[in-house]
Structures are given as C-alpha cells and as structure tokens.
C-alpha cells in the first residue's frame, strides 16, 4: 500500500486518477482502518486528505449557512458553540457516534460515505438539508446528503471522486432540529432506529419540515409524507399521530439481531414524535 | 514495500522512525519505539486500551497510522508521571485498587487525564460517559470512577 498526503484537492484527485487498483481516501480513519485490519478493504493507495488546507475549518458563510471541512471531527463540532446553537440536532447526532476517542477522529463525511444505513449523523444531515461538494477529474458537483449512499457500504460517488466540503443551510429565524436513536443501552452502540427532524415555525405553526429515518431501509432516507403530516399544524396530537403513522409507513427494515421489522417500524413512529417535539420547542425559542 | 520516514514528538521529545504505510501508531509505539504502555485490546477502536493524545486530542492509536504522526505531538501513558513521582491519577488508582490485570489501565489514565484537563470538576455521569470507550473486563468500573473523582478533587485543591 502507498500512503500519500497531498497538499491540495487537485493533487488528491490527480493522484487518485493515476493510482492503479483500489484507492481509499483517509480522513478520520475510524472506518477505513478497521476495514483494512479486517481485510474487508485492502487499498493499494491510501490518500490522506488531512493536510489539505481548509479541511479542518468550520466556517459560517455570508448567507448564515455553514461549511464544514471534510476532516473536522465530531469533537470539534461539539466544541463549536455557534454551530451547536444553530444545528443542535446535527451536532448531537454526530456526538452519539462511538467513544470520546472515536469523536477525536470521526468526521461527518466519513460517516456519510461509509454508507451504513444506521449511521447516526446521516438522518440528521438529510433532515437539515445538508449538501456536499463532490469533486473529481471532471470538476465539481453539488449533491444532497440523501443522494450519497445508495445501499449498505455503497455510494453514488464515481471512481476518483471525493467529497471536498459539507454545506449546512442557513438556519434562519424560527428553526430547530433534533435527532434521536434507539439503542438498548445508553452509549457505545449502533442505532436500531434513528430519526432526524428539522422544522421551521412562524408563531406556533410549522411552515416547513424535513423528516429523515435511519436503520429502517438500505440507506438513511427522507420521509416526505412524515414531513407533510406536520407542516401547517401546531404539532397537536392529531399531527403527531399522523407523523408517527407516516414515519412507520416509510420504513422498509430488515430483521436482525438488533431489532425486528415490527419493532423497528413501531419505534420509527415513536422517535419521530419525540424528535419533532424537541425540534418544535427549539424552533419556537429561536424566533 | 518502501518504508516511510516519520519525525514526530512523543511526550515532549522528538522521535523519528521508519514504518510500513499500513502500520498503526499503536504498532509503531509498541514495536518500534519500545513504548509498550498503550495496549492492544481490539485493534478496532472499541476498547480504548490504546488511548493516546494526538495534538492534545484523545484518540485510539490503533485507528491512527504511524505515518499520520508526522509533525504531530503525541502523548502516551509513559509521559503522565512528572519524573519519579506518580501523577495524582496513578496514585489514586493504586489507593482505590482501581485495577486488576492492568490491561485497560494505561488507556484509562490517558483518557482520564485528557478529561481533567478539559473539565477539572466533572460529575460522576460526565466521567462515566467520557470513559465509556475504555473497556475493563476486571474491575466493574466503580473503583475506576471513584479513583478519577478523587484524583480530580485532589488536583483541584492543589491548583
Ligand atoms: S486496541 Fe485500540 S481501541 Fe482497542
Ligand atoms: S484491570 Fe483488567 S481490564 Fe481493566
């Protein structure tokens, strides 16, 4: 294996284009190094992107949105007070992943591109409306978070492409988000179900919403019907019931050792309800 | 396979080594530099026995490549005690009998020290969450938590 640490994305892309065999990009390494050790992936070339300027930055854009460098760790996100004030749900979702030690290395981009259906940050990113800059030999394109994973361990990135920046939209007034997951203990576990809710209110009425679910389908997915169930409402009991039913209806889970189809489908509704309440409270306080 | 030359700082001292690109920082510390304090419990980021800090940030050294150490600052359990004296955490671990086989202990000491530098007055809950990635098969954790809380109290008094 060759280890390369280019000083720019252009160099990284050129190196990837010339590299024979299997190439992997290295950010936090919390998945790649495990896969290498388990012989799941044996890269011929490993391209460490952490020496590229800007990859460690958290920056607020002029429009109030955020650009997160692809090597920014969960710990750095957690420590960023202004980011947490705008997007507490997204920051909390990232913070749920692994131990303190893993938080010191793990990145949003890695969590997304590892393409686990149970990745905690991904439903939160989808709910937030996160987009990614994807760059390759042909140039750059902007891709919505929900369009990156295509199946367990699979992404829509073409050979030689990589994510070069993460963009979180402007929070704006009256916005709030939340992410909840179910695990059978309190820490250090993989989501049986996860749900992210992001919404905007005017007064007490929800004017916009996005709901995303994790671990209930081959990829984390947007649940547009669940969002429709609460838009235009004051999150009254009828809206919450409709939300829960739509979230459960959006599930296409598997039975495995962590949960049955029936359990996951039910819990998706429960978590959608609870996450929506938290997001709604946060949004009303942010007006 | 050509080896990579790496210059780094370990416990305040400059260090240089040659490593294979696939070698982890844990492999390098133990097998090339003779720093066997960090232990390999799992090699996959699950147990915390290999904990070190990298530029002050707590990480699993089994999830860092040796090559990534270039130009960085690493701190291991070997650097915790100031000279011949034990660090308060080390003393309190002995006092509270917070270890049995000791495999998890270096990682827990490094992790606890990183916590107390960030938060000198943690609650028991904060200590338990911070150390959730440090697995111990022997002690049942209570003694570890008590030792950390006691060391934190002593360090606050001394400060
Ligand atoms: S050996 Fe690194 S976490 Fe277990
Ligand atoms: S003392 Fe044996 S593993 Fe912790």
């Amino acid at each position: 294996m060759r280890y390369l640490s280019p000083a720019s994305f252009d160099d990284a892309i050129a190196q990837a284009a010339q590299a024979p065999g299997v190439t992997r990009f290295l950010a936090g390494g919390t998945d790649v190094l495990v896969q290498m050790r388990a012989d799941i992936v044996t890269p011929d070339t490993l391209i460490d992107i952490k020496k590229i300027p800007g990859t460690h930055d958290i920056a607020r854009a002029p429009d109030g949105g955020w650009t997160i460098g692809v090597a920014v760790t969960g710990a750095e996100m957690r420590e960023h007070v202004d980011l947490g004030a705008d997007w507490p749900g997204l920051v909390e979702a990232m913070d749920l992943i692994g131990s303190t030690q893993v938080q010191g290395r793990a990145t949003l981009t890695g969590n997304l591109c590892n393409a686990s259906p149970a990745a905690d940050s991904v439903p939160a990113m989808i709910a937030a409306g996160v987009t990614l800059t994807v760059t390759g030999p042909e140039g750059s394109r902007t891709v919505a978070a929900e369009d990156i994973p295509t199946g367990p361990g699979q992404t829509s990135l073409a050979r030689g492409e990589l994510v070069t920046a993460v963009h979180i939209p402007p929070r704006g007034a009256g916005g709030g988000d939340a992410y909840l997951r179910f695990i059978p203990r309190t820490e250090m576990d993989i989501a049986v179900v996860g749900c992210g809710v992001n919404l905007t209110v005017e007064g007490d009425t929800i004017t916009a919403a996005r709901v995303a679910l994790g671990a209930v389908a081959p990829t984390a997915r947007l649940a547009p019907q669940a969002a429709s169930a609460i838009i235009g409402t004051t999150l009254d009991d009828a809206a919450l019931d409709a939300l829960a039913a739509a979230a459960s209806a959006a599930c296409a889970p598997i039975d495995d050792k962590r949960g049955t189809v029936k359990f996951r489908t039910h819990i998706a509704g429960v978590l959608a309800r609870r996450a929506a309440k938290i997001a709604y409270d946060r949004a009303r306080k942010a007006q | 396979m050509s080896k990579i030359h790496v210059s780094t700082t370990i416990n305040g001292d400059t260090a240089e080594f040659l490593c294979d690109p696939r070698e982890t920082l844990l492999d390098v510390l133990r097998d090339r530099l003779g720093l066997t304090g960090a232990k390999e419990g799992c090699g996959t980021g699950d147990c915390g026995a290999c904990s070190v800090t990298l530029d002050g940030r707590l990480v699993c050294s089994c999830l860092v490549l040796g090559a990534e150490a270039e130009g960085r600052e690493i701190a291991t359990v070997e650097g915790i005690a100031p000279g011949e004296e034990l660090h308060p955490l080390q003393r309190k671990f002995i006092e509270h009998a917070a270890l049995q086989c000791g495999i998890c202990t270096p990682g827990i000491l490094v992790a606890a020290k990183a916590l107390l530098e960030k938060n000198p007055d943690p609650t028991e809950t904060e200590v338990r969450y911070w150390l959730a990635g440090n697995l111990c098969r022997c002690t049942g954790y209570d003694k570890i938590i008590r030792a950390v809380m006691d060391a934190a109290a002593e360090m606050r008094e001394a400060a």
Side-chain angles (χ1 to χ4, degrees), chain A residues 7 31 34 49 59 84 123 128 132 148 179 184 287:
Chain A
D31 290 310
V34 175
I49 51 83
L132 296 306
I148 295 281
Y179 171 82
Q287 289 190 86

Side-chain angles (χ1 to χ4, degrees), chain A residues 1 3 26 28-30 33-34 36-37 39 42 46 48 50 75-76 79 99-102 104-105 186-188, chain B residues 1 4 21-22 40 42-45 51 54 57-60 62-65 67-68 111 118 129-130 132-134:
Chain A
M1 186 187 84
Y3 168 86
L26 174 68
T30 55
L33 264 61
V34 175
M36 279 165 54
R37 184 185 167 92
D39 291 324
T42 312
L46 190 65
D48 183 352
K50 290 192 293 295
E76 287 163 340
E79 288 161 9
S99 59
T100 315
Q101 286 84 341
V102 166
R105 296 271 290 170
T186 52
E187 177 69 338
M188 299 289 291
Chain B
M1 206 177 297
I4 299 175
R22 286 186 65 120
E40 178 168 304
C42 65
T44 50
S51 296
L54 186 62
R57 184 72 74 183
L58 185 67
V59 298
C60 296
C62 72
L63 293 184
V64 178
L65 291 177
E68 292 183 72
K118 212 174 117 88
Y129 272 96
W130 183 272
N134 289 89

Side-chain angles (χ1 to χ4, degrees), chain B residues 98-105 135-139 144:
Chain B
L99 65 153
Q100 288 183 32
C101 79
I103 288 283
C104 68
T105 313
L135 306 187
C136 176
R137 60 197 166 171
C138 305
T139 64
I144 293 173

Side-chain angles (χ1 to χ4, degrees), chain A residues 39-52:
Chain A
D39 291 324
I40 296 168
V41 176
T42 312
D44 298 294
T45 306
L46 190 65
I47 303 180
D48 183 352
I49 51 83
K50 290 192 293 295
K51 296 229 167 88
I52 299 175

Side-chain angles (χ1 to χ4, degrees), chain B residues 20-146:
Chain B
D20 180 280
R22 286 186 65 120
E23 273 181 79
T24 65
L25 177 59
L26 177 61
D27 296 334
V28 168
L29 289 171
R30 293 183 56 83
D31 302 339
R32 297 201 182 268
L33 301 173
L35 294 170
T36 54
K39 300 288 184 280
E40 178 168 304
C42 65
T44 50
D46 296 300
C47 76
C50 65
S51 296
V52 301
T53 61
L54 186 62
D55 290 342
R57 184 72 74 183
L58 185 67
V59 298
C60 296
S61 60
C62 72
L63 293 184
V64 178
L65 291 177
E68 292 183 72
E70 174 68 38
R72 314 286 294 275
E73 290 199 14
I74 294 153
T76 71
V77 72
E78 284 87 350
I80 283 190
E84 293 301 300
E85 244 171 80
L86 291 179
H87 186 279
L89 277 163
Q90 292 171 311
R91 253 192 302 106
K92 291 298 177 188
F93 266 62
I94 296 170
E95 241 173 67
H96 287 265
L99 65 153
Q100 288 183 32
C101 79
I103 288 283
C104 68
T105 313
I108 294 182
L109 290 170
V110 170
K113 180 165 178 275
L115 170 63
L116 299 186
E117 277 163 10
K118 212 174 117 88
N119 179 0
D121 192 8
T123 64
E124 183 181 326
T125 302
E126 285 168 338
V127 176
R128 286 185 184 272
Y129 272 96
W130 183 272
L131 295 178
N134 289 89
L135 306 187
C136 176
R137 60 197 166 171
C138 305
T139 64
Y141 300 106
D142 277 335
K143 292 174 173 183
I144 293 173
I145 303 299
R146 271 180 244 147

